[in-house]
Amino acid sequence: MTQSHRLYDGGRVDRSQPINFSFNGRRYTGYQGDTLASALLANGVMLVGRSFKYHRPRGIFSAGTEEPNALVQLERGPRTIANLLATRVPLYEGLDASSVNSWPSPNFDLMAINGLFHRLLPAGFYYKTFMWPVSGWKIYEHFIRRAAGLGRSPEEPDQDTYDKINAHADVVVVGAGPAGLAAARTAALSGARVILVDEQVELGGQLLSERFIIEGKPALEWVAEVEEELLANPNVTVLKHTTAFGYYDHNFICFLQNRADNVAFGAEGRTRQRVWRVRAKRVILATGAIERPLIYVDNDRPGCMLAGALRAYVNRYGVKPGTRHVIFTNNDDAYRTALDLKAAGADVACVIDIRPDPKGELVTRAHEAGIEVIENSAISGVLGSKRVKGVEVMALNEPGDSVTGRSRIVQCDTIGSSGGWNPVVHLHSHAGGKNVWRDSDGIFVPGETLQAEHTAGANHGNFSLQAALTDGIQAAQDAAKILGLKIKGKISAPAVGTDVIEEPWRLLWYIPTTAPTGQRGKHFLDPQNDVTAADVQLAAREGYRSVEHAKRYTTLGMATDQGKTGNIPGHAILASALGQTIPETGTTTFRPPYSPVTMGALAGRYVGEFFDPIRRTPMYEWHEQAGCLWEDVSQWKRPWYYPKDSESMRDAVNRECLAVRNNVGMLDATTLGKIDIQGPDAAEFLNRVYTNAWLKLAPGRCRYGLMLHEDGMVFDDGVTSCLGENHYLMTTTSGGAPNVLAWLEEWLQTEWPELKVYLTSVTEQYATLQLAGPNARALLSEFTSDIDLDNEAFPFMSWRDGTVGGIPARVFRISFTGEQSFEINVPASSGLSLWTDIMIAGEKYGITPFGTETMHVLRAEKGFIIVGQETDGTITPLDLGMNWIVSKAKPDFIGKRSLARADTARPDRKHLVGLRTIDPEVVLPEGAQLVAETRAKPPMDMIGHVTSSYYSAALGHSIALALVKNGRNRKGDTIYVPIDGTTTACEVVDPIFYDLEGERLNG
Amino acid sequence: MVDAYRLRSPLDHLGLTARAQAEAEYSGTGVVLSEIAHLCLINIRGDASDPAFIAAVEKSIKLTPPTAPNTVAGKPSQSRIMWLGPDEWLVITKPGRGERAMAELWKNLKDGKLHAAVTDSSEARTCIRIEGPRAREVLAKGCPIDLHPSAFGPGQSAQCIVAKCGVMLVQTAQAKDTAGTYELYVLRSFATYLWTWLEDASQEFGVRVA
């Protein structure tokens, strides 16, 4: 197919490199250097989609990030991307795009029937209609979602990878238009580390769309010189196709970089997109300006565009957007579009200017070029629905609030309107900057900032090229001065050959037609969300006086484009309806991101195997080869259980439990937290942080301790051993280790600085192998000759140094399983070797590796608590029945005072008890709620919940631990677990189910 | 002394020695990764304002504990001592030299009745070295601190995050161009994750194991 609207020459496209693509199933050809939008226009395709609510036909509106209409679904299957802007997608071979919001096609859309019922769909329609009855929402939501959906998310895993990078700079310059380039070049001459970032694929900003002259040459030659100079400087990083999307406190600024020209497929061997996290000493915002449209009736018809966009398509892409163009303006700048179109051989029907008597230099040139200028007039109607066919033009009255006289029809298919330009104040606003209203041209410019920030160029309200260049240099000089850097050489702005004096804009936010608002056609403010001037006026009449409320009520500016073109006119119309000035009404809040950021880029490489660190013990590979299933304990991977063949979890755990009870098993206990404590006040310190007494623990001995928070609630537990004079080793729970160390350091550093104690984490120094079971001693004795394992010589709750299997070891005689148990600590590097040797030597005993699940069952049989399972931050030692560990004699310990509070001391709090189901085979679900009396259906009075529940192979029945109100006084009572219509009865019993006297662990 | 064959560094299971031999011929890779296993690491706590403490450390290891934050004293080829906090240091020395250093420190600090702590952490961490012209860029993907030579040069250190893992980061050398050499002292349980992450992040620049 021929490119019917492509100019014979001109623009930055490469006509020697044709590119094939398809849109909505039809095949077209564009050129290297096109965007999807420019290639579509080159092929005469203007209609690209349907609007969100009324499904009105919509065309390409702009040439940049402000685009509200030309949203496309790019590619299919796992590569599909929703809601990309056709104006921002660089064309690539084979590109496959379709409209997002039309069915079956934008040309014939079944949902357009909504447009016929627009009087039933006013502002706040959803709020008004779907609020009653409440239960109806389930039905309405389904309907609304289907009717309103934009693009579709891929349903298969992302094929691409993404990453992030941190960067630091003296000066970050956002925007590589004239101001940004001048700023970056100047800053670089100071020796500063500079990052220049721009969202476009080429440097130059607005210059890419203009026919400007700098230093007697086309402006883009100057751009190329500056680029070359910047690239040659090792202190400068130039990032193209990269959007600064958020600006945060402390001059932290984030970019999204497209790392491949092909936005859908990326490039081989590297990530598709990258998030840059940049900390800058100074930031220069040279973000330019976005043209705002005039708000005339039916301004959404395909062919209604921004005047500057027409210029961009002609000058940059060598494309005539239409066959006959009308320019509608309140300013001189739009005359450039008329002149550039004319110069490119495009047909310009007329310029319609709302100003009574425009006389600027550009106006004069338009007259000279033979372009008709219709002054003091407005577009009072648009002909055509799927494409503009013409405009109705009428004279404006003096205040500009109505049209008068006879109308005239001008045939055309494309309208370029301009209501002036809005500085892109978004980033400045993200970081808390205020905006100031400038009455002379009706714009918000960046005001006071909270950051180390400068603004330059059009973003600073300096719209002429010469002013932008000068301003960019000034901003960089200011930044360098603050940073104490000297700029080498003399800097002056290059001379511009094309600047002319322009006359003021005429501010007319609403262009009247022959009937009151909304009674003849629609004045669109937000074409994507279908918000009109009438909607904003209705919101004002219904009492929405805050711009933030009016926004949410009407959805003005809430579409994917975030109102980049229509918000300021919309806020002005709201101000007018409220009888306020525009600064009194203000604007809605600008929030990051400036333009959409993919979720993949925010996740970066932290997906799949890199989602979170996996902590491995020295014996990890052995467990993996043994086929264990893993349990996540904070970031640790711990063996959960080791199923044999097709064994079920219950069978495997039963087998492991019986092996420990009857024979010998081995557990990898490396993950337990270990803190080395040294100093003359170490015992006193332990005495203050644990509830029991610590001053008399002798070297070689171990003691169990319970730690409370100030509120008296259990926080951690573990065994601490006295290693020598003023030297202890504390163990903590696996998950709690970092918190316990931080908690102890906090007390040492802030409350007890007088205590001479040093804490050092040694968790990772040792591999810990726990041998448990009646044959543990016999097996261990094969590996050591210098530790006397005899029960008298090495009693329960003591430790010995020596060698195990020729490896220096510290062996603790402690037990969490209730069996005779030795915890062997060896240097971590030797852990795997010793583990393997013991497993081989233990074969004759049938040694069984066991995991955390078996450990949990065995300790529950003994009624030993797990902090975080039996406790939840609301449980005292007394609640657990552990009065024996709370010293009455000590003057103080953390949490002591709280235990005396009336509520913590009352006798009928929740108590830890055991539960036995009447049916011994039923294993209660952990977390199940308990009741004393059942009723036919909820609500029932709950008296507690199950904290631990297992099948005990050793006992031949299920066991459970539970926290029950006044539980210790309910022993022997029957209580109930009602779940999903069934009720399980159980008896309240003592929480120790096995070996009450502790003969086994002492034996 | 435990037989060497029984010792497993945290990254042994990745077969790095074999890979280093196989990849020695690779040229033009932007990044070179290696594990420096079984270094002796001794954590010291004490009062830097007490001349007796400083003297006892000097006597034990012939190095003065630095008081300037985030610096390392000593030569990478020999023993070094890294500032970890106002009252905390890490002694880094070659395999085999640790027992003697540990004994000396213990004798001079603890037996001298000074309030100090000496703790062996050799087994707790391993060292991953990353070097090559793109090493800094790889680190920047996971580390928020400024590693530009003007901000972080040889002899400087930091306790920071690299790819969600807490590390002690040391720069040992900086060539005239962009090439720098860095050591990452990482807890052994995190080492496999960090190594795998670093190797993945290095892929686009070309990477080999040394």
Side-chain angles (χ1 to χ4, degrees):
Chain A
M1 181 174 277
T2 58
Q3 298 183 40
S4 57
H5 285 59
R6 184 74 70 180
L7 296 169
Y8 180 70
D9 60 7
R12 299 184 64 71
V13 291
D14 182 351
R15 288 173 178 75
S16 70
Q17 288 196 60
I19 291 179
N20 300 301
F21 70 102
S22 74
F23 180 67
N24 284 336
R26 291 192 64 175
R27 299 172 70 174
Y28 303 96
T29 305
Y31 292 132
Q32 181 65 38
D34 264 325
T35 62
L36 173 57
S38 69
L40 286 170
L41 288 174
N43 286 280
V45 179
M46 176 65 82
L47 176 63
V48 289
R50 291 275 172 164
S51 69
F52 196 70
K53 190 158 112 183
Y54 303 128
H55 286 250
R56 279 169 72 117
R58 288 289 158 73
I60 294 165
F61 184 72
S62 74
T65 306
E66 66 271 36
E67 177 61 37
N69 292 341
L71 269 58
V72 296
Q73 184 87 27
L74 201 59
E75 303 303 331
R76 296 157 203 263
R79 292 279 179 186
T80 196
I81 314 173
N83 304 337
L84 284 188
L85 301 179
T87 51
R88 295 271 288 123
V89 175
L91 201 64
Y92 57 85
E93 182 61 37
L95 178 149
D96 176 8
S98 54
S99 303
V100 294
N101 196 29
S102 55
W103 188 80
S105 79
N107 212 25
F108 175 72
D109 184 322
L110 288 174
M111 298 300 280
I113 199 159
N114 281 359
L116 301 179
F117 299 110
H118 68 91
R119 282 190 200 290
L120 304 178
L121 294 166
F125 167 73
Y126 297 127
Y127 297 101
K128 287 168 181 165
T129 310
F130 295 123
M131 292 314 289
W132 188 90
V134 172
S135 60
W137 177 248
K138 286 178 197 165
I139 299 156
Y140 302 142
E141 190 189 18
H142 183 66
F143 166 76
I144 291 168
R145 293 260 179 262
R146 210 170 53 167
L150 286 174
R152 286 184 187 83
S153 303
E155 289 171 4
E156 291 154 72
D158 200 328
Q159 308 274 302
D160 291 302
T161 55
Y162 306 80
D163 65 4
K164 304 184 208 185
I165 199 161
N166 296 283
H168 300 258
D170 295 318
V171 181
V172 162
V173 180
V174 182
L181 287 169
R185 174 187 230 179
T186 308
L189 289 172
S190 73
R193 291 161 65 190
V194 177
I195 299 177
L196 173 66
V197 54
D198 194 281
E199 64 179 357
Q200 302 210 58
V201 294
E202 291 184 273
L203 302 187
Q206 183 63 22
L207 295 177
L208 294 164
S209 302
E210 302 286 2
R211 299 180 167 206
F212 288 155
I213 302 292
I214 295 177
E215 288 175 334
K217 292 171 291 191
L220 293 174
E221 287 184 24
W222 175 80
V223 172
E225 281 167 25
V226 176
E227 180 171 3
E228 199 176 324
E229 188 178 314
L230 294 175
L231 292 177
N233 187 328
N235 284 330
V236 179
T237 305
V238 177
L239 298 172
K240 298 180 201 178
H241 211 178
T242 303
T243 304
F245 66 79
Y247 185 15
Y248 308 89
D249 266 340
H250 308 292
N251 260 24
F252 181 58
I253 184 163
C254 287
F255 311 153
L256 177 68
Q257 180 185 23
N258 286 292
R259 300 192 72 202
D261 294 339
N262 185 318
V263 295
F265 290 86
E268 192 65 29
R270 58 179 180 171
T271 54
R272 183 165 85 90
Q273 293 181 327
R274 170 175 285 179
V275 168
W276 286 70
R277 302 157 45 87
V278 185
R279 282 132 182 117
K281 290 191 181 134
R282 309 296 304 177
V283 167
I284 297 174
L285 297 176
T287 46
I290 288 176
E291 195 167 32
R292 61 193 185 205
L294 288 170
I295 307 302
Y296 54 98
V297 70
D298 290 335
N299 56 345
D300 68 322
R301 295 305 187 195
C304 292
M305 299 177 70
L306 292 168
L310 299 188
R311 196 150 89 229
Y313 286 115
V314 168
N315 291 337
R316 181 171 179 183
Y317 300 106
V319 170
K320 289 184 295 184
T323 50
R324 190 168 156 83
H325 308 80
V326 162
I327 305 301
F328 184 31
T329 183
N330 73 344
N331 61 62
D332 284 7
D333 178 67
Y335 285 81
R336 282 199 179 91
T337 301
L339 289 163
D340 290 354
L341 282 168
K342 187 89 180 174
D347 187 1
V348 179
C350 61
V351 176
I352 303 163
D353 195 326
I354 63 172
R355 294 174 298 179
D357 190 17
K359 284 200 174 59
E361 169 71 24
L362 292 167
V363 182
T364 308
R365 283 191 208 164
H367 284 296
E368 287 166 5
I371 298 169
E372 184 188 2
V373 176
I374 308 174
E375 358 181 286
N376 195 33
S377 292
I379 292 178
S380 57
V382 172
L383 283 62
S385 68
K386 287 179 188 166
R387 179 78 195 235
V388 172
K389 290 186 172 142
V391 291
E392 176 190 287
V393 187
M394 291 176 77
L396 281 164
N397 68 351
E398 200 182 323
D401 57 9
S402 72
V403 284
T404 60
R406 295 183 56 175
S407 65
R408 170 185 160 189
I409 301 295
V410 177
Q411 302 291 332
C412 66
D413 65 357
T414 304
I415 305 165
S417 90
S418 177
W421 294 74
N422 283 323
V424 179
V425 297
H426 300 63
L427 290 173
H428 164 78
S429 308
H430 290 173
K434 294 269 182 292
N435 296 308
V436 180
W437 180 252
R438 195 163 84 182
D439 230 4
S440 57
D441 41 11
I443 58 173
F444 282 102
V445 290
E448 200 184 328
T449 176
L450 301 179
Q451 312 302 328
E453 173 202 319
H454 311 263
T455 48
N459 177 41
H460 202 195
N462 290 316
F463 292 119
S464 85
L465 177 54
Q466 191 71 65
L469 291 166
T470 308
D471 205 23
I473 291 169
Q474 185 62 51
Q477 284 172 333
D478 292 348
K481 194 173 171 192
I482 293 167
L483 293 172
L485 298 169
K486 269 226 157 70
I487 294 164
K488 292 176 199 99
K490 197 169 148 42
I491 301 291
S492 58
V496 175
T498 35
D499 273 4
V500 292
I501 293 171
E502 296 181 30
E503 290 194 319
W505 309 346
R506 181 183 185 190
L507 298 182
L508 207 54
W509 300 107
Y510 173 85
I511 304 299
T513 179
T514 50
T517 314
Q519 292 191 16
R520 179 198 160 189
K522 287 179 164 55
H523 289 71
F524 280 93
L525 293 165
D526 182 335
Q528 192 180 124
N529 269 359
D530 277 338
V531 182
T532 66
D535 291 326
V536 171
Q537 289 168 350
L538 176 66
R541 284 201 301 279
E542 292 188 353
Y544 290 89
R545 302 188 63 83
S546 154
V547 66
E548 297 284 1
H549 292 157
K551 164 189 165 175
R552 284 153 183 81
Y553 191 58
T554 62
T555 71
L556 172 70
M558 288 169 69
T560 58
D561 63 321
Q562 295 280 292
K564 288 187 175 66
T565 53
N567 262 15
I568 296 293
H571 298 157
I573 288 167
L574 179 67
S576 165
L578 294 170
Q580 295 175 334
T581 65
I582 294 167
E584 274 171 349
T585 299
T587 65
T588 49
T589 311
F590 297 90
R591 291 192 181 86
Y594 172 69
S595 54
V597 179
T598 51
M599 299 299 284
L602 292 175
R605 281 302 282 134
Y606 300 105
V607 294
E609 64 178 314
F610 298 122
F611 177 69
D612 202 39
I614 289 169
R615 299 182 70 179
R616 303 156 64 111
T617 75
M619 287 80 89
Y620 183 95
E621 285 83 48
W622 192 96
H623 304 314
E624 197 171 47
Q625 280 168 21
C628 79
L629 274 71
W630 298 100
E631 181 178 31
D632 291 333
V633 180
S634 63
Q635 290 172 319
W636 288 104
K637 288 278 181 208
R638 299 195 69 181
W640 190 17
Y641 61 96
Y642 303 79
K644 275 187 176 170
D645 306 322
S646 57
E647 215 173 24
S648 70
M649 177 175 176
R650 183 159 160 170
D651 288 345
V653 172
N654 286 349
R655 174 178 51 75
E656 291 175 15
C657 284
L658 290 172
V660 177
R661 289 276 178 247
N662 300 329
N663 199 345
V664 62
M666 189 154 65
L667 172 84
D668 181 352
T670 303
T671 61
L672 228 56
K674 301 174 218 39
I675 300 170
D676 183 90
I677 304 173
Q678 297 180 36
D681 296 318
E684 172 61 23
F685 176 68
L686 292 170
N687 217 36
R688 293 186 193 185
V689 300
Y690 278 131
T691 59
N692 48 346
W694 286 84
L695 296 180
K696 291 185 178 146
L697 188 69
R701 299 292 301 184
C702 315
R703 185 166 292 171
Y704 174 76
L706 208 55
M707 260 183 232
L708 312 184
H709 267 161
E710 299 101 315
D711 59 7
M713 303 304 159
V714 173
F715 159 59
D716 206 80
D717 69 346
V719 170
T720 293
S721 308
C722 182
L723 298 183
E725 192 190 0
N726 303 330
H727 193 185
Y728 295 82
L729 181 73
M730 173 186 282
T731 62
T732 72
T733 56
S734 297
N739 291 338
V740 172
L741 184 60
W743 166 256
L744 298 180
E745 277 291 352
E746 183 185 336
W747 280 89
L748 267 184
Q749 292 180 27
T750 66
E751 301 295 327
W752 307 323
E754 75 283 2
L755 290 188
K756 289 186 167 172
V757 178
Y758 286 126
L759 309 174
T760 308
S761 170
V762 290
T763 301
E764 301 246 17
Q765 174 74 7
Y766 303 101
T768 304
L769 294 67
Q770 186 194 98
L771 272 179
N775 284 322
R777 179 179 288 122
L779 178 56
L780 182 56
S781 70
E782 295 180 21
F783 284 85
T784 182
S785 53
D786 53 0
I787 301 175
D788 185 350
L789 298 177
D790 184 76
N791 199 29
E792 304 291 312
F794 191 180
F796 183 56
M797 293 309 272
S798 60
W799 65 270
R800 296 293 178 263
D801 265 340
T803 55
V804 174
I807 298 162
R810 183 177 289 143
V811 181
F812 296 84
R813 175 105 194 265
I814 54 182
S815 176
F816 194 43
T817 56
E819 292 301 323
Q820 181 195 91
S821 168
F822 297 89
E823 286 195 10
I824 308 155
N825 282 256
V826 292
S829 301
S830 314
L832 180 60
S833 169
L834 182 61
W835 177 283
T836 311
D837 289 351
I838 293 178
M839 288 306 301
I840 292 167
E843 274 173 15
K844 57 181 164 294
Y845 297 102
I847 189 171
T848 302
F850 66 99
T852 50
E853 186 68 16
T854 293
M855 175 186 83
H856 287 183
V857 176
L858 298 175
R859 65 86 209 178
E861 289 171 348
K862 284 291 294 172
F864 293 152
I865 62 157
I866 289 181
V867 171
Q869 189 158 340
E870 271 62 57
T871 71
D872 59 4
T874 69
I875 303 300
T876 70
L878 284 65
D879 298 341
L880 297 169
M882 294 174 75
N883 318 35
W884 53 271
I885 203 172
V886 181
S887 165
K888 312 264 182 311
K890 284 203 295 187
D892 204 1
F893 57 83
I894 298 171
K896 178 180 167 84
R897 186 173 169 275
S898 294
L899 295 180
R901 283 174 57 235
D903 185 61
T904 37
R906 74 186 155 83
D908 57 347
R909 287 171 59 87
K910 282 186 180 171
H911 301 147
L912 184 72
V913 295
L915 293 181
R916 276 198 65 178
T917 50
I918 304 303
D919 177 348
E921 291 299 311
V922 173
V923 180
L924 296 169
E926 286 176 354
Q929 296 291 324
L930 302 162
V931 300
E933 292 167 44
T934 53
R935 298 202 193 103
K937 62 175 191 174
M940 291 179 244
D941 295 330
M942 294 179 293
I943 58 168
H945 69 277
V946 176
T947 59
S948 295
S949 176
Y950 310 97
Y951 183 78
S952 166
L955 298 166
H957 60 77
S958 71
I959 59 167
L961 297 173
L963 286 162
V964 178
K965 278 183 193 164
N966 200 26
R968 280 193 288 277
N969 299 318
R970 291 185 194 257
K971 282 200 185 143
D973 291 2
T974 301
I975 62 175
Y976 304 93
V977 180
I979 296 175
D980 291 339
T982 66
T983 299
T984 308
C986 33
E987 186 190 346
V988 179
V989 298
D990 191 89
I992 304 175
F993 295 91
Y994 190 77
D995 188 25
L996 192 62
E997 306 303 322
E999 287 167 6
R1000 302 181 70 91
L1001 52 77
N1002 279 304
Chain B
M1 195 70 194
V2 181
D3 291 336
Y5 76 91
R6 301 188 65 180
L7 300 179
R8 292 275 186 282
S9 83
L11 297 175
D12 260 352
H13 67 101
L14 297 176
L16 300 180
T17 314
R19 276 192 58 190
Q21 281 167 4
E23 295 170 15
E25 308 283 293
Y26 288 15
S27 62
T29 58
V31 183
V32 182
L33 286 169
S34 45
E35 182 191 21
I36 309 172
H38 306 302
L39 286 173
C40 292
L41 308 172
I42 303 166
N43 188 289
I44 304 178
R45 306 287 301 271
D47 180 0
S49 66
D50 180 358
F53 169 76
I54 300 291
V57 174
E58 287 171 344
K59 189 179 171 197
S60 308
I61 57 167
K62 316 291 178 254
L63 286 169
T64 306
T67 49
N70 299 320
T71 58
V72 182
K75 292 191 181 112
S77 56
Q78 295 161 17
S79 294
R80 286 175 286 168
I81 182 164
M82 190 194 322
W83 183 97
L84 295 180
D87 62 355
E88 187 171 10
W89 295 265
L90 187 74
V91 178
I92 305 168
T93 185
K94 298 280 173 219
R97 290 197 200 161
E99 278 177 34
R100 173 135 183 261
M102 184 81 194
E104 286 288 311
L105 284 163
W106 193 268
K107 180 169 68 115
N108 294 321
L109 286 165
K110 305 291 286 188
D111 296 350
K113 298 293 171 199
L114 285 162
H115 171 43
V118 180
T119 314
D120 186 3
S121 332
S122 309
E123 300 284 326
R125 289 177 189 267
T126 192
C127 176
I128 296 174
R129 183 163 62 199
I130 177 167
E131 58 201 316
R134 311 304 285 272
R136 179 150 59 94
E137 218 170 323
V138 170
L139 287 177
K141 292 188 190 184
C143 179
I145 69 168
D146 189 357
L147 299 174
H148 190 269
S150 65
F152 191 83
Q156 282 181 291
S157 64
Q159 291 165 85
C160 58
I161 298 290
V162 174
K164 299 193 179 189
C165 303
V167 299
M168 297 163 184
L169 178 69
V170 181
Q171 190 180 21
T172 55
Q174 174 67 53
K176 272 240 164 63
D177 55 12
T178 54
T181 303
Y182 302 86
E183 290 174 350
L184 286 74
Y185 293 85
V186 61
L187 285 171
R188 68 182 299 131
S189 66
F190 289 94
T192 301
Y193 175 91
L194 181 60
W195 175 281
T196 316
W197 187 95
L198 287 168
E199 203 174 333
D200 175 80
S202 303
Q203 286 301 336
E204 65 175 306
F205 309 120
V207 55
R208 69 179 172 90
V209 176

